Amino acid sequence: MLNNLLFPVLCLHCQTVPQKSSHLFCEGCTPYFELRDPSDRFPLKELNIQVASALEYIGPVKSLVKKLKTGQLPHLAKTAASFLAAQFYRLGWEVDCIVPVCRPWLRALVHGIDHSHAIADNLGKTLSTPVYPVLRRRGGEYPQGRLNPEQRVSFSKNSFTLRKGEKIADKRVLLIDDVITTGTTLQHAINTLFEGFPAQIYALTLCR
Ligand SMILES: [Zn+2]
């Protein structure tokens, strides 16, 4: 209590003081964390795979992702995983393993975290499902936001390779990423996963 008076815990988005110090977000920001309609999917071009998402990528949810990405609050990976787990149960999917869409190594190094991997690890614990980090990012040292759409496509075309080791053949794979915007990254990740002959691929992102 005294600690909270000296160092009040502020809402991660708007910096006001939540009613309960154990809350990450204030009462005004919490409603933004409502789970999306699980039947609302993002269709990927030329792939017979639809991407489900847990949350809408707005305001406080964006703040959560940003804090996660930049490694400021690594324990938020657990929070993010709990939203994914909740949506996963609503989807009724059955999977054998979880594969994170890994970060480009340089970005993970700079921020001290591969948040996608960290989220997947936490989700794996919750779902009692093994995590296979089989996707390796080839390039991708540059933030994609700085590229135009044409560059983005050519840039990410060959940006994944399949790591040898864990086998995904004949397995039902749950691919995990933080945000889906154009779907390009996930598309390339899925194309690479196909090289391992999985039985089925499901894709779930934290936000859309
Ligand atoms: Zn707030």
Side-chain angles (χ1 to χ4, degrees):
M1 185 62 189
L2 181 63
N3 197 41
N4 286 340
L5 287 173
L6 293 173
F7 307 102
V9 179
L10 301 178
C11 169
L12 291 183
H13 179 64
C14 68
Q15 315 295 314
T16 62
V17 181
Q19 271 172 19
K20 282 190 182 171
S21 61
S22 58
H23 290 180
L24 296 173
F25 292 89
C26 72
E27 288 64 40
C29 291
T30 304
Y32 289 92
F33 289 88
E34 197 186 346
L35 288 177
R36 295 177 63 102
D37 178 354
S39 66
D40 183 13
R41 310 286 173 82
F42 186 102
L44 291 178
K45 268 182 255 157
E46 298 158 32
L47 288 172
N48 194 20
I49 290 171
Q50 297 181 330
V51 185
S53 305
L55 302 167
E56 197 172 335
Y57 192 47
I58 40 167
V61 179
K62 276 187 175 176
S63 294
L64 176 84
V65 174
K66 198 178 165 194
K67 292 232 158 39
L68 250 171
K69 264 187 177 169
T70 52
Q72 292 173 52
L73 299 165
H75 60 276
L76 290 180
K78 203 172 176 180
T79 309
S82 64
F83 285 110
L84 285 171
Q87 189 69 313
F88 178 81
Y89 288 127
R90 296 210 308 170
L91 289 159
W93 291 346
E94 287 182 9
V95 300
D96 303 305
C97 60
I98 297 169
V99 173
V101 174
C102 54
R103 291 303 104 192
W105 65 270
L106 189 59
R107 263 197 276 174
L109 188 72
V110 167
H111 297 305
I113 185 173
D114 181 337
H115 65 287
S116 206
H117 199 159
I119 293 170
D121 279 343
N122 280 285
L123 183 63
K125 276 178 203 150
T126 308
L127 304 182
S128 301
T129 303
V131 177
Y132 296 160
V134 293
L135 289 173
R136 179 171 278 165
R137 206 92 167 217
R138 260 189 203 159
E141 290 94 66
Y142 310 100
Q144 286 204 12
R146 288 185 198 158
L147 306 175
N148 66 42
E150 206 173 283
Q151 283 175 319
R152 230 182 247 211
V153 171
S154 65
F155 168 78
S156 47
K157 204 169 257 172
N158 299 311
S159 57
F160 292 99
T161 50
L162 200 61
R163 261 164 64 161
K164 292 185 183 75
E166 298 95 342
K167 300 278 188 288
I168 58 164
D170 301 320
K171 294 216 166 75
R172 295 165 297 179
V173 176
L174 177 64
L175 186 63
I176 292 294
D177 203 2
D178 56 353
V179 187
I180 183 164
T181 42
T182 62
T184 309
T185 305
L186 273 176
Q187 236 162 336
H188 291 298
I190 289 167
N191 279 331
T192 306
L193 280 180
F194 279 137
E195 294 168 17
F197 305 105
Q200 178 100 39
I201 299 174
Y202 296 96
L204 176 62
T205 67
L206 180 62
C207 332
R208 172 183 160 190

